[in-house]
Amino acid sequence: MNRILPSALKGFASLGLVAGILAAGSAQAATSINLSYNGAPDPDKNAVHVFATNLKELVEEKTDGELVLKLYPNSMLGEEEERMEQTMNTPSLNVASFAGVSPLVEEIFVSAIPFLFEDFEAARTFFDEGEYWNEVEAALRERAGVEMLAVVEEGGFLAFTNDEKPISHPDDFEGLRFRAMDPSQVALYESFGASGTPIPWTEVYMALRTGVADGQMNPPMYIILGSLYEVQDYLTLANIQYSNQFLVGNAEMIEGWDEATREVFLEAVAEANRNAREHNEAKVDERIAFLEEQGMEVIRPSEEDIAAFRDVGQPAYLEWLRERGIEQRWVDLALEDAGMTELLD
């Protein structure tokens, strides 16, 4: 058989080879990354989903398709600690709550001191610019090989709900049973005279429906997302804590990207977070109105009642942090960043 190709065919063969190489290179350049998070893929109900979908679009656009995010809402890849283990051990991203981060960096509980922030702006400055949060990021990287990439708002400040009675003062908690997200919430409920039981988000609706818990604490967005208004009668807008989750990523994966890819990825994260914050803040009043329309009684505690929540909750929470063995320097850093030096020992 004659293996010598005519010159024209040689040219086509060369072009075909080049095209094949380019196609292979293009296929290799596209890296798929899992992004897992809580809650349904519903932009009207889930602020974290809004953030995740926007991040996906921005990352793929800014990297020219080099990085492709695959979204896994509704805790499809597991509950909090399981998803964090995946982030530690595989090239992936995750939007974690306190329940996911705190087993690795318990000092993160300091950022949930009751009434640490007066408003959105104060909270955003604390996390974007504060020395305490820089220390948290460094600890997570060092202890777990995980990068803290963004603090993601999940729908406003935390509100209490329950199906027993209107709550406007700490004394109203006496004898009630509340679902807690983590041990810090258990401590807070106990300071008010209630009990707290950690229950995963995916089980909250049924726990409230069956009476395992009388109430829970979440921003209005999550109350809507979980249809909790169907099993809760009262909504108390105490605004006791800032409601946030955390975008984290496998540090080895991020460090393995070239500098240009890493830079545009971080630009996409920052832009998605700015967009999510604007969207979230604009929706807060609308969500409260929706819950009222669904039949929930909305309680807005007076300034005196808010002061009572603060006077009971803050000292009890600070004592709980000490009992957990969290070094005082973490608390001092956070209080200084928040401008609450009057609480320093």
Side-chain angles (χ1 to χ4, degrees):
M1 179 178 176
N2 187 356
R3 297 183 179 273
I4 301 176
L5 295 173
S7 57
L9 292 179
K10 286 182 181 179
F12 282 122
S14 299
L15 288 173
L17 179 61
V18 170
I21 292 172
L22 290 175
S26 176
Q28 291 173 359
T31 301
S32 180
I33 302 168
N34 291 346
L35 170 56
S36 56
Y37 53 97
N38 295 320
D42 186 336
D44 294 327
K45 296 180 179 180
N46 190 355
V48 176
H49 178 68
V50 172
F51 168 78
T53 53
N54 189 219
L55 180 62
K56 172 181 170 65
E57 293 171 4
L58 288 169
V59 166
E60 294 173 7
E61 173 190 326
K62 290 180 180 291
T63 65
D64 292 326
E66 180 182 346
L67 301 181
V68 176
L69 302 191
K70 188 170 183 180
L71 305 186
Y72 288 92
N74 267 336
S75 306
M76 290 171 62
L77 298 184
E79 298 294 352
E80 290 284 351
E81 292 193 31
E82 185 178 0
R83 296 195 338 253
M84 185 60 78
E85 288 179 6
Q86 293 165 11
T87 309
M88 294 167 61
N89 299 313
T90 64
S92 58
L93 299 169
N94 175 32
V95 182
S97 73
F98 277 82
V101 178
S102 59
L104 303 173
V105 182
E106 193 173 37
E107 295 86 352
I108 199 172
F109 284 131
V110 174
S111 68
I113 293 172
F115 301 101
L116 193 61
F117 314 115
E118 289 188 3
D119 51 31
F120 283 111
E121 182 179 357
R124 292 163 183 170
T125 300
F126 177 90
F127 288 106
D128 293 346
E129 303 174 13
E131 182 60 30
Y132 157 80
W133 197 246
N134 287 337
E135 293 280 338
V136 170
E137 292 175 344
L140 184 62
R141 187 183 308 115
E142 180 180 344
R143 298 175 192 176
V146 172
E147 288 286 347
M148 178 70 71
L149 298 166
V151 176
V152 182
E153 289 178 4
E154 57 176 359
F157 283 75
L158 295 178
F160 299 113
T161 71
N162 84 101
D163 65 348
E164 293 293 318
K165 59 183 176 179
I167 291 176
S168 60
H169 187 277
D171 292 346
D172 298 328
F173 276 86
E174 186 67 36
L176 296 180
R177 297 165 298 174
F178 274 75
R179 174 263 176 173
M181 178 178 67
D182 54 55
S184 74
Q185 288 191 352
V186 174
L188 194 61
Y189 292 132
E190 290 178 349
S191 75
F192 297 148
S195 62
T197 302
I199 298 172
W201 167 249
T202 51
E203 300 173 18
V204 171
Y205 182 93
M206 189 57 65
L208 296 172
R209 182 178 178 180
T210 58
V212 171
D214 300 314
Q216 60 87 53
M217 179 167 60
N218 257 306
M221 182 209 78
Y222 262 87
I223 298 166
I224 296 170
L225 177 65
S227 299
L228 304 188
Y229 52 83
E230 296 177 357
V231 290
Q232 300 279 271
D233 296 326
Y234 306 102
L235 171 69
T236 301
L237 302 177
N239 293 345
I240 194 165
Q241 292 169 320
Y242 176 68
S243 176
N244 56 333
Q245 295 192 41
F246 314 97
L247 176 68
V248 294
N250 181 276
E252 186 176 353
M253 170 187 73
I254 296 168
E255 290 167 3
W257 297 333
D258 60 67
E259 185 175 349
T261 300
R262 189 162 53 247
E263 183 176 328
V264 295
F265 170 79
L266 295 176
E267 285 177 4
V269 169
E271 185 175 342
N273 210 22
R274 286 194 300 271
N275 294 342
R277 286 173 172 180
E278 291 175 6
H279 177 271
N280 172 58
E281 190 169 357
K283 290 282 187 179
V284 171
D285 290 341
E286 177 184 319
R287 288 170 178 147
I288 294 170
F290 173 83
L291 292 171
E292 204 161 15
E293 290 169 3
Q294 302 311 304
M296 295 194 79
E297 180 180 336
V298 178
I299 298 99
R300 294 175 172 83
S302 66
E303 289 186 14
E304 292 78 10
D305 288 333
I306 291 294
F309 277 114
R310 182 171 56 249
D311 292 345
V312 173
Q314 274 185 350
Y317 195 91
L318 290 170
E319 177 59 28
W320 178 80
L321 291 173
R322 283 189 284 270
E323 290 173 355
R324 299 285 290 193
I326 293 175
E327 293 180 31
Q328 186 62 34
R329 74 177 188 91
W330 291 90
V331 177
D332 292 347
L333 278 174
L335 294 176
E336 288 172 5
D337 287 343
M340 299 180 66
T341 53
E342 70 274 8
L343 291 179
L344 292 172
D345 287 343

